[in-house]
Amino acid sequence: MLAARFHTAGQPLSLDEVPVPVPGPDEVRVRVRAAGVCGTELHFTEGLYAPSTVPMTLGHEAAGTVDAIGSDVTGWAEGDRVAVFYYLFCGSCRWCLRGRQNLCLAPRGVLAFAADGAFAEHVVVPAHCLVRLPDTLSFEQAAPLCCAGTTALHALTEADVAPGEVVVVMGTGGVGLAVVQDARRRGAVVIGVSRDAARREAALTAGAAVAVSPEDLQTAVERLSTGQGADVVVELAGVDATLELSVAVLGKRGRLVLVGYSADQLTVSPLLLVVAEQRIIASVGNTYAELVDAVHLASTGQLLPPVVQTLPLRDVNVALDRLRAGEAAGRIVLLP
Ligand SMILES: [Zn+2]
Ligand SMILES: [Zn+2]
């Protein structure tokens, strides 16, 4: 089968012919019908971090159909339509037992990080990582739920967003637009922030009250919060300039939610945090239950991360180039 694989940082992904994987006793093989292209892909190609082994098939947003089933698996049949939870959790450690699969102590792997991912015609995962898709949801719509949609749900749940609160979404790319949608669904007043006009436009379409460039953020926050500052800032860029701005616009009891990151550091004054009772929250990935929720919300039209383009798997490097250039105002989805 064809697979888009990471070999070395700084190089395009290589389109390799690899054997079709065979599922173990408690695993299933999914024929990938759609695979979203996430900003995380660029962290590999730019060398911010490396997969556990190379070469590694990238892609962690996968939707498709079950096409082979391990001998011990029950409840799934060939042809079932599924989304894949990319964190291949163990199901029995203390964090899995608390429903925090994103913190699993003994994952079997993580698609694209430590297990071959979804930029391929097939992917093999433990059966407990599947979520059933309703017929009403297309594979192209479902794939971006697996990271973008669920990461948004997780971040806003961790921030405990309440109706009427002012939520700043710092960076309205694939995940950011899902954050805008879900913050709006929770009744928040949303401010989208992007340097890119198309991404600002996309934020407005997704439900933001206003969408501004970083230079105009402070004025927008003052206006929409009547001078009180933002209740929540969801930080998706994680670079010096935006981190500094995020801290600056936060109001009393404001929550800064770190989702995106780079090699840059966050500097805060404990004094200013303490006197305003502000909190810094980190949010990584999402839980299995949140993928179930995201599929439900999407199938009822309440959460649909925008897909801006679909491309054949062979064009994976075109997709990565567009993402790197900041040209994608939403998800690009590959069709293996
Ligand atoms: Zn992702
Ligand atoms: Zn676990």
Short mmCIF file of all heavy atoms in Angstrom, two decimals, residues 244-279:
data_model
loop_
_atom_site.label_atom_id
_atom_site.label_comp_id
_atom_site.label_asym_id
_atom_site.label_seq_id
_atom_site.Cartn_x
_atom_site.Cartn_y
_atom_site.Cartn_z
N GLU A 244 2.91 36.60 25.01
CA GLU A 244 2.98 37.87 25.74
C GLU A 244 1.64 38.59 25.66
O GLU A 244 1.11 39.10 26.65
CB GLU A 244 4.09 38.72 25.13
CG GLU A 244 4.57 39.84 26.03
CD GLU A 244 5.74 40.57 25.39
OE1 GLU A 244 6.71 39.91 24.95
OE2 GLU A 244 5.66 41.80 25.31
N LEU A 245 1.07 38.60 24.47
CA LEU A 245 -0.21 39.26 24.25
C LEU A 245 -1.33 38.53 25.02
O LEU A 245 -2.21 39.17 25.61
CB LEU A 245 -0.50 39.25 22.74
CG LEU A 245 -1.70 40.02 22.23
CD1 LEU A 245 -1.64 41.48 22.65
CD2 LEU A 245 -1.77 39.90 20.71
N SER A 246 -1.27 37.21 25.02
CA SER A 246 -2.29 36.42 25.72
C SER A 246 -2.34 36.77 27.20
O SER A 246 -3.41 36.95 27.78
CB SER A 246 -2.00 34.92 25.57
OG SER A 246 -2.13 34.54 24.22
N VAL A 247 -1.17 36.86 27.80
CA VAL A 247 -1.09 37.21 29.23
C VAL A 247 -1.60 38.64 29.44
O VAL A 247 -2.34 38.92 30.38
CB VAL A 247 0.36 37.06 29.74
CG1 VAL A 247 0.50 37.60 31.15
CG2 VAL A 247 0.80 35.59 29.69
N ALA A 248 -1.27 39.52 28.51
CA ALA A 248 -1.62 40.94 28.66
C ALA A 248 -3.13 41.19 28.62
O ALA A 248 -3.61 42.12 29.27
CB ALA A 248 -0.92 41.77 27.58
N VAL A 249 -3.87 40.40 27.87
CA VAL A 249 -5.31 40.69 27.72
C VAL A 249 -6.18 39.94 28.73
O VAL A 249 -7.40 40.12 28.76
CB VAL A 249 -5.83 40.38 26.29
CG1 VAL A 249 -5.13 41.25 25.26
CG2 VAL A 249 -5.71 38.90 25.96
N LEU A 250 -5.56 39.13 29.57
CA LEU A 250 -6.33 38.30 30.51
C LEU A 250 -6.89 39.15 31.66
O LEU A 250 -6.17 39.96 32.24
CB LEU A 250 -5.38 37.23 31.06
CG LEU A 250 -5.89 35.85 31.42
CD1 LEU A 250 -6.65 35.21 30.27
CD2 LEU A 250 -4.72 34.97 31.84
N GLY A 251 -8.16 38.95 31.98
CA GLY A 251 -8.78 39.69 33.08
C GLY A 251 -8.69 38.95 34.40
O GLY A 251 -8.00 37.93 34.50
N LYS A 252 -9.40 39.46 35.41
CA LYS A 252 -9.40 38.80 36.72
C LYS A 252 -10.02 37.40 36.61
O LYS A 252 -11.00 37.21 35.91
CB LYS A 252 -10.17 39.65 37.73
CG LYS A 252 -9.39 40.92 38.03
CD LYS A 252 -9.82 41.62 39.30
CE LYS A 252 -8.80 42.73 39.58
NZ LYS A 252 -9.18 43.56 40.71
N ARG A 253 -9.43 36.48 37.30
CA ARG A 253 -9.81 35.05 37.24
C ARG A 253 -9.77 34.50 35.82
O ARG A 253 -10.44 33.51 35.49
CB ARG A 253 -11.18 34.80 37.90
CG ARG A 253 -11.12 34.99 39.42
CD ARG A 253 -12.37 34.55 40.15
NE ARG A 253 -12.65 33.12 40.03
CZ ARG A 253 -12.00 32.16 40.71
NH1 ARG A 253 -11.00 32.47 41.51
NH2 ARG A 253 -12.33 30.90 40.55
N GLY A 254 -8.98 35.16 34.99
CA GLY A 254 -8.82 34.71 33.61
C GLY A 254 -8.01 33.43 33.54
O GLY A 254 -7.16 33.17 34.39
N ARG A 255 -8.33 32.61 32.53
CA ARG A 255 -7.60 31.35 32.34
C ARG A 255 -6.87 31.39 31.00
O ARG A 255 -7.51 31.61 29.95
CB ARG A 255 -8.56 30.16 32.35
CG ARG A 255 -9.15 29.85 33.71
CD ARG A 255 -10.42 30.64 34.02
NE ARG A 255 -11.60 30.10 33.36
CZ ARG A 255 -12.72 30.78 33.16
NH1 ARG A 255 -12.82 32.05 33.53
NH2 ARG A 255 -13.73 30.21 32.55
N LEU A 256 -5.58 31.19 31.07
CA LEU A 256 -4.79 31.06 29.85
C LEU A 256 -4.63 29.57 29.58
O LEU A 256 -4.08 28.84 30.41
CB LEU A 256 -3.41 31.71 30.03
CG LEU A 256 -2.37 31.43 28.95
CD1 LEU A 256 -2.84 31.94 27.58
CD2 LEU A 256 -1.03 32.08 29.31
N VAL A 257 -5.15 29.12 28.44
CA VAL A 257 -5.11 27.69 28.12
C VAL A 257 -4.06 27.45 27.04
O VAL A 257 -4.20 27.92 25.91
CB VAL A 257 -6.48 27.19 27.62
CG1 VAL A 257 -6.48 25.68 27.51
CG2 VAL A 257 -7.59 27.65 28.55
N LEU A 258 -3.01 26.74 27.40
CA LEU A 258 -1.94 26.46 26.45
C LEU A 258 -2.26 25.18 25.69
O LEU A 258 -2.42 24.12 26.28
CB LEU A 258 -0.61 26.30 27.20
CG LEU A 258 -0.19 27.48 28.07
CD1 LEU A 258 1.11 27.14 28.81
CD2 LEU A 258 0.00 28.73 27.23
N VAL A 259 -2.37 25.32 24.38
CA VAL A 259 -2.61 24.15 23.52
C VAL A 259 -1.47 24.04 22.50
O VAL A 259 -0.86 23.00 22.35
CB VAL A 259 -3.97 24.26 22.80
CG1 VAL A 259 -4.20 23.05 21.90
CG2 VAL A 259 -5.11 24.38 23.81
N GLY A 260 -1.20 25.14 21.82
CA GLY A 260 -0.10 25.16 20.85
C GLY A 260 1.21 25.49 21.54
O GLY A 260 1.23 26.04 22.64
N TYR A 261 2.30 25.14 20.92
CA TYR A 261 3.61 25.41 21.52
C TYR A 261 4.65 25.47 20.42
O TYR A 261 4.42 25.05 19.29
CB TYR A 261 3.98 24.33 22.54
CG TYR A 261 3.75 22.93 22.01
CD1 TYR A 261 4.69 22.32 21.21
CD2 TYR A 261 2.55 22.26 22.28
CE1 TYR A 261 4.46 21.06 20.68
CE2 TYR A 261 2.31 21.00 21.76
CZ TYR A 261 3.27 20.41 20.96
OH TYR A 261 3.03 19.17 20.43
N SER A 262 5.79 26.01 20.82
CA SER A 262 6.96 26.04 19.94
C SER A 262 8.13 25.85 20.87
O SER A 262 7.95 25.40 22.01
CB SER A 262 7.02 27.39 19.22
OG SER A 262 7.29 28.42 20.16
N ALA A 263 9.32 26.23 20.44
CA ALA A 263 10.46 26.14 21.35
C ALA A 263 10.54 27.37 22.26
O ALA A 263 11.36 27.43 23.16
CB ALA A 263 11.76 25.99 20.54
N ASP A 264 9.64 28.36 22.05
CA ASP A 264 9.67 29.59 22.86
C ASP A 264 9.19 29.33 24.29
O ASP A 264 8.44 28.40 24.54
CB ASP A 264 8.79 30.67 22.22
CG ASP A 264 9.36 31.15 20.88
OD1 ASP A 264 10.50 30.75 20.56
OD2 ASP A 264 8.66 31.90 20.18
N GLN A 265 9.63 30.21 25.20
CA GLN A 265 9.30 30.07 26.62
C GLN A 265 8.17 31.02 27.01
O GLN A 265 8.00 32.08 26.40
CB GLN A 265 10.53 30.41 27.48
CG GLN A 265 11.77 29.59 27.15
CD GLN A 265 11.62 28.14 27.56
OE1 GLN A 265 11.34 27.85 28.70
NE2 GLN A 265 11.80 27.24 26.60
N LEU A 266 7.43 30.65 28.04
CA LEU A 266 6.39 31.53 28.58
C LEU A 266 6.94 32.22 29.82
O LEU A 266 7.44 31.57 30.73
CB LEU A 266 5.17 30.68 28.96
CG LEU A 266 4.07 31.38 29.77
CD1 LEU A 266 3.39 32.46 28.96
CD2 LEU A 266 3.04 30.36 30.25
N THR A 267 6.85 33.57 29.84
CA THR A 267 7.31 34.32 31.00
C THR A 267 6.11 35.02 31.62
O THR A 267 5.37 35.72 30.92
CB THR A 267 8.35 35.38 30.59
OG1 THR A 267 9.36 34.73 29.83
CG2 THR A 267 8.96 36.05 31.80
N VAL A 268 5.88 34.80 32.91
CA VAL A 268 4.77 35.47 33.58
C VAL A 268 5.25 36.03 34.91
O VAL A 268 6.21 35.54 35.49
CB VAL A 268 3.59 34.52 33.87
CG1 VAL A 268 2.89 34.11 32.60
CG2 VAL A 268 4.03 33.30 34.67
N SER A 269 4.56 37.06 35.38
CA SER A 269 4.84 37.61 36.70
C SER A 269 3.94 36.92 37.71
O SER A 269 2.72 37.04 37.64
CB SER A 269 4.56 39.12 36.69
OG SER A 269 4.22 39.53 38.00
N PRO A 270 4.51 36.19 38.69
CA PRO A 270 3.67 35.57 39.72
C PRO A 270 2.82 36.62 40.43
O PRO A 270 1.66 36.37 40.76
CB PRO A 270 4.68 34.94 40.67
CG PRO A 270 5.91 34.75 39.86
CD PRO A 270 5.93 35.87 38.86
N LEU A 271 3.37 37.80 40.64
CA LEU A 271 2.64 38.86 41.33
C LEU A 271 1.35 39.18 40.59
O LEU A 271 0.26 39.20 41.18
CB LEU A 271 3.53 40.11 41.43
CG LEU A 271 2.82 41.38 41.92
CD1 LEU A 271 2.41 41.26 43.37
CD2 LEU A 271 3.70 42.61 41.72
N LEU A 272 1.46 39.39 39.27
CA LEU A 272 0.26 39.77 38.51
C LEU A 272 -0.74 38.62 38.45
O LEU A 272 -1.95 38.84 38.49
CB LEU A 272 0.66 40.23 37.11
CG LEU A 272 1.50 41.52 37.08
CD1 LEU A 272 1.88 41.89 35.65
CD2 LEU A 272 0.77 42.68 37.75
N LEU A 273 -0.23 37.40 38.37
CA LEU A 273 -1.13 36.24 38.37
C LEU A 273 -1.89 36.15 39.69
O LEU A 273 -3.09 35.93 39.72
CB LEU A 273 -0.33 34.93 38.21
CG LEU A 273 0.11 34.44 36.85
CD1 LEU A 273 0.68 33.03 37.01
CD2 LEU A 273 -1.05 34.39 35.86
N VAL A 274 -1.15 36.32 40.78
CA VAL A 274 -1.74 36.14 42.11
C VAL A 274 -2.81 37.20 42.39
O VAL A 274 -3.93 36.87 42.79
CB VAL A 274 -0.64 36.18 43.20
CG1 VAL A 274 -1.25 36.29 44.59
CG2 VAL A 274 0.23 34.93 43.10
N VAL A 275 -2.48 38.45 42.13
CA VAL A 275 -3.44 39.50 42.52
C VAL A 275 -4.72 39.44 41.68
O VAL A 275 -5.77 39.89 42.11
CB VAL A 275 -2.84 40.92 42.47
CG1 VAL A 275 -1.71 41.06 43.48
CG2 VAL A 275 -2.37 41.28 41.07
N ALA A 276 -4.63 38.86 40.49
CA ALA A 276 -5.83 38.75 39.66
C ALA A 276 -6.42 37.34 39.72
O ALA A 276 -7.39 37.05 39.02
CB ALA A 276 -5.50 39.13 38.21
N GLU A 277 -5.83 36.47 40.53
CA GLU A 277 -6.27 35.07 40.63
C GLU A 277 -6.42 34.43 39.26
O GLU A 277 -7.42 33.79 38.93
CB GLU A 277 -7.60 34.95 41.38
CG GLU A 277 -7.44 34.91 42.88
CD GLU A 277 -8.65 34.31 43.60
OE1 GLU A 277 -9.73 34.21 42.98
OE2 GLU A 277 -8.50 33.94 44.77
N GLN A 278 -5.41 34.65 38.43
CA GLN A 278 -5.45 34.05 37.09
C GLN A 278 -4.88 32.64 37.13
O GLN A 278 -4.14 32.28 38.05
CB GLN A 278 -4.65 34.92 36.12
CG GLN A 278 -5.33 36.26 35.86
CD GLN A 278 -4.42 37.23 35.16
OE1 GLN A 278 -3.19 37.12 35.23
NE2 GLN A 278 -5.01 38.21 34.50
N ARG A 279 -5.21 31.86 36.13
CA ARG A 279 -4.73 30.49 36.08
C ARG A 279 -4.12 30.17 34.73
O ARG A 279 -4.62 30.64 33.70
CB ARG A 279 -5.87 29.51 36.37
CG ARG A 279 -6.16 29.36 37.84
CD ARG A 279 -7.34 28.45 38.07
NE ARG A 279 -8.58 29.16 37.82
CZ ARG A 279 -9.76 28.56 37.66
NH1 ARG A 279 -9.84 27.25 37.69
NH2 ARG A 279 -10.84 29.27 37.46
#
